[in-house]
Amino acid sequence: MLRIREIEEKIAELYPEQEMRCPTHLHIGQEAISAGVCANLSNNDYVLSGHRCHGHYIAKQGDIRAMIAELYGKVTGCSMGKGGSMHLLDLSVGYLGSSPIVGSTIPIAVGTAFGSVMRNEHSITVVFFGEAATETGVFHESLNFAALHSLPIIFVCENNFYCVYSPLSVRQPENREVYELAKGHGIESYQSDGNDVCEVYELSKTAIKKLRNGHGPIFLEFMTYRWREHCGPYYDNDLGYRTKEEFEEWEKRCPIKRFRQFLTTSKIVDQKEFKRIGNIVNKEIEEAFTFAKTSPFPNPELLEEGIYAS
Ligand SMILES: Cc1ncc(C[n+]2csc(CCOP(=O)(O)OP(=O)(O)O)c2C)c(N)n1
Ligand SMILES: [Mg+2]
């Protein structure tokens, strides 16, 4: 969680230099979901996600130097500098990719789970998406297919209540919870606090264990909140689509602060150890930004490499 938070704070700090030219959707405030779920996965398991993908990539142990280089458009980036913040991938750790088209990686993840069953691989697939993805048609087709074939896939919905500036109240019926949609497709489904990393960890651990024992798909909805503007490094509470009170209420529920408090009061981690972890993380981040800034841009000859259309 700390690694995700610190990297994104650094991105926010340096973004105004205009050297990172891609749009970027920060995950600050939502870190417990990526960290808590991915802590239960191995390199043989697969993860896919969407536009707000930094946290998922980092929690799945994606190479952070290649991620930062990608944001700087450098050839050493994980998409050779052609994709930017919303096209991350690291096949070596099973992070199969992200795409900005809302809902688009959900059917790809279902295909991944189907493929691993056909190859008798025993891997499981996790797909992360925002609650607005549940409003796409392909979400329902994917859940139907996953349920029909009892596929080893966890659908993780990060419900931060907003789709850009539109609250859930203008998008979905008031008397129906998002996780109940999955039940309609015959999929076991749970809702939990996405800002409590222990809850996220325990719930996903139980779900993943079930899948490893042959259980079909499970849907997890985690309630959370995006702190920064929808896209970009700044805060946008002045726009008026959400209240200052609401923002402050969620800021108090900071997943990192809560976990730090728990670790301190339970005497699991002391201040010295927090400092040591913080130093390691900051050193990694400094190195990643230096690597990105000093890497070359792609040679124009690479323009047509790695594309499907001729
Ligand atoms: C199919 C499609 N429609 C619209 C957009 C524009 N868009 C980009 S992100 C986004 C918001 C998605 O909200 P949600 O899924 O809740 O994720 P969040 O941004 O809250 O993390 C929208 C509408 C898009 N990228 N793809
Ligand atoms: Mg949302």
Side-chain angles (χ1 to χ4, degrees):
M1 284 199 290
L2 193 65
R3 189 180 280 123
I4 299 167
R5 172 72 57 94
E6 296 292 326
I7 287 179
E8 291 210 317
E9 294 281 5
K10 191 79 184 169
I11 293 170
E13 181 194 324
L14 299 184
Y15 201 78
E17 290 180 352
Q18 298 213 3
E19 286 182 32
M20 289 174 263
R21 300 309 303 251
C22 54
T24 183
H25 301 76
L26 300 180
H27 192 240
I28 295 174
Q30 306 187 193
E31 300 91 342
I33 304 170
S34 1
V37 172
C38 291
N40 293 296
L41 301 176
S42 80
N43 280 359
N44 296 327
D45 298 317
Y46 303 117
V47 166
L48 293 101
S49 82
H51 57 289
R52 203 173 300 288
C53 57
H54 300 167
H56 313 125
Y57 175 95
I58 296 166
K60 191 68 173 57
Q61 310 289 316
D63 179 348
I64 62 168
R65 297 191 335 158
M67 170 184 149
I68 302 300
E70 189 55 41
L71 269 68
Y72 277 84
K74 301 298 180 75
V75 71
T76 49
C78 55
S79 291
M80 293 165 71
K82 296 179 187 178
S85 159
M86 297 182 281
H87 295 96
L88 302 182
L89 84 163
D90 188 340
L91 302 184
S92 69
V93 294
Y95 186 84
L96 298 194
S98 33
S99 157
I101 310 299
V102 170
S104 66
T105 45
I106 301 175
I108 299 173
V110 169
T112 301
F114 195 33
S116 62
V117 169
M118 291 176 84
R119 290 191 298 271
N120 220 354
E121 267 180 9
H122 304 294
S123 307
I124 69 149
T125 299
V126 175
V127 59
F128 292 93
F129 48 89
E131 85 291 343
T134 69
E135 293 151 26
T136 65
V138 78
F139 166 80
H140 295 278
E141 294 175 42
S142 302
L143 263 65
N144 177 66
F145 191 85
L148 177 70
H149 292 279
S150 194
L151 298 180
I153 180 165
I154 310 270
F155 298 99
V156 179
C157 176
E158 300 191 29
N159 187 347
N160 62 12
F161 307 98
Y162 292 90
C163 171
V164 193
Y165 307 130
S166 305
L168 262 173
S169 58
V170 301
R171 296 160 31 220
Q172 299 201 19
E174 197 186 352
N175 55 359
R176 195 257 292 126
E177 299 285 334
V178 170
Y179 78 104
E180 289 174 342
L181 288 169
K183 291 190 178 172
H185 289 287
I187 292 179
E188 201 173 302
S189 159
Y190 302 90
Q191 186 187 55
S192 181
D193 181 353
N195 280 28
D196 180 338
V197 74
C198 297
E199 267 200 36
V200 176
Y201 177 75
E202 289 301 332
L203 188 58
S204 49
K205 183 177 170 183
T206 308
I208 288 165
K209 200 168 160 200
K210 281 186 183 177
L211 262 64
R212 295 209 195 281
N213 289 325
H215 195 286
I218 295 181
F219 185 97
L220 305 176
E221 178 188 8
F222 293 111
M223 313 311 281
T224 188
Y225 204 74
R226 146 173 74 75
W227 287 15
R228 303 268 175 155
E229 59 187 333
H230 166 68
C231 179
Y234 304 112
Y235 292 91
D236 67 355
N237 297 326
D238 55 314
L239 293 181
Y241 71 96
R242 56 187 199 181
T243 64
K244 190 163 163 274
E245 291 70 35
E246 183 182 272
F247 170 80
E248 285 170 354
E249 189 49 46
W250 279 95
E251 210 182 18
K252 278 190 218 141
R253 298 187 216 172
C254 171
I256 297 178
K257 204 162 73 188
R258 280 169 78 178
F259 192 46
R260 204 185 275 264
Q261 249 157 22
F262 164 75
L263 294 173
T264 307
T265 48
S266 330
K267 299 198 185 332
I268 298 171
V269 177
D270 61 20
Q271 294 309 317
K272 211 172 130 200
E273 181 64 0
F274 279 131
K275 203 164 170 212
R276 194 185 69 83
I277 295 169
N279 288 341
I280 293 172
V281 166
N282 287 335
K283 193 161 170 269
E284 274 176 16
I285 296 171
E286 285 301 326
E287 279 171 8
F289 276 83
T290 305
F291 172 76
K293 285 187 170 226
T294 55
S295 288
F297 284 109
N299 187 313
E301 281 162 22
L302 291 176
L303 190 63
E304 290 190 15
E305 238 176 64
I307 59 173
Y308 289 101
S310 62

